[in-house]
Amino acid sequence: MKRAIAISVSLLIGLSAYLAHAQRVTRLSQPADLMVSVWYNGGKARAPMLSPITPNSRDEWRRDLQQIKSLGFNAVRGWVDWSHNEPQEGKYNFDNLRLLCELSREVGLRVVIQVYVGWDGFGFAPDWVHKKYADGFVQAQANNVSTPPSSSFYSDHPGIRDAIL
């Protein structure tokens, strides 16, 4: 595990150095549609989790994005997670994405938004879906499944399918 982390970090450092050099050397000849991104959706959270927005988020995220830009990246990859972005049925929360897009624009980074898709087809279902469609979830104990119920719903369940859509 430590070896894999060391190799990953080395590759990231090498890629960052190369991109910084390549950006200086070929800035004018680089294709406009070539995006090299890192996953970042604010704070320390990693996909599919999202960091809560605090009074310090704007300054912290801006510093992070400026650092990403200074390393030669021209984009960040943010994500949408159903459980976070629709915490109540029909009520959506895209504050993280709005802030990410606004700050990225300020520092000159492009944004790629990924809809987070888990092994079950759509990622983590919000609590309201569990309550409304309890029969649409794998029973971990009965089926000897090691994943938490939040990530093991039946995407062909009519109610869950409609909620996703």
Side-chain angles (χ1 to χ4, degrees):
M1 180 69 168
K2 288 182 181 179
R3 179 182 158 100
I5 292 171
I7 290 170
S8 296
V9 169
S10 296
L11 287 172
L12 245 173
I13 291 170
L15 177 62
S16 295
Y18 170 77
L19 288 171
H21 172 73
Q23 187 176 37
R24 285 190 298 273
V25 172
T26 63
R27 182 176 298 260
L28 296 176
S29 63
Q30 199 173 30
D33 60 348
L34 176 65
M35 291 190 293
V36 182
S37 68
V38 295
W39 278 37
Y40 183 79
N41 219 48
K44 299 191 185 312
R46 299 296 171 249
M49 290 77 65
L50 295 172
S51 291
I53 294 179
T54 69
N56 297 325
S57 293
R58 179 173 292 277
D59 292 334
E60 291 170 0
W61 294 19
R62 183 182 292 111
R63 279 193 304 273
D64 290 346
L65 292 166
Q66 289 168 337
Q67 179 68 26
I68 290 167
K69 173 89 173 174
S70 76
L71 291 171
F73 293 95
N74 62 2
V76 289
R77 180 181 307 269
W79 54 90
V80 173
D81 172 54
W82 187 20
S83 64
H84 179 88
N85 295 115
E86 190 181 10
Q88 296 176 346
E89 186 172 9
K91 294 185 180 180
Y92 301 94
N93 174 4
F94 293 105
D95 293 345
N96 289 64
L97 289 177
R98 281 189 195 96
L99 183 58
L100 177 65
C101 289
E102 178 184 326
L103 294 173
S104 294
R105 191 177 313 114
E106 282 180 20
V107 303
L109 290 169
R110 296 170 78 184
V111 179
V112 176
I113 302 298
Q114 176 176 331
V115 176
Y116 191 79
V117 179
W119 68 270
D120 53 18
F122 198 72
F124 298 96
D127 290 340
W128 65 266
V129 175
H130 287 269
K131 292 174 185 157
K132 191 170 183 177
Y133 305 111
D135 63 328
F137 288 82
V138 175
Q139 298 300 315
Q141 298 80 8
N143 294 308
N144 202 19
V145 175
S146 61
T147 59
S150 62
S151 65
S152 51
F153 60 82
Y154 298 110
S155 56
D156 61 347
H157 182 281
I160 293 177
R161 185 180 59 236
D162 289 346
I164 289 170
L165 295 174

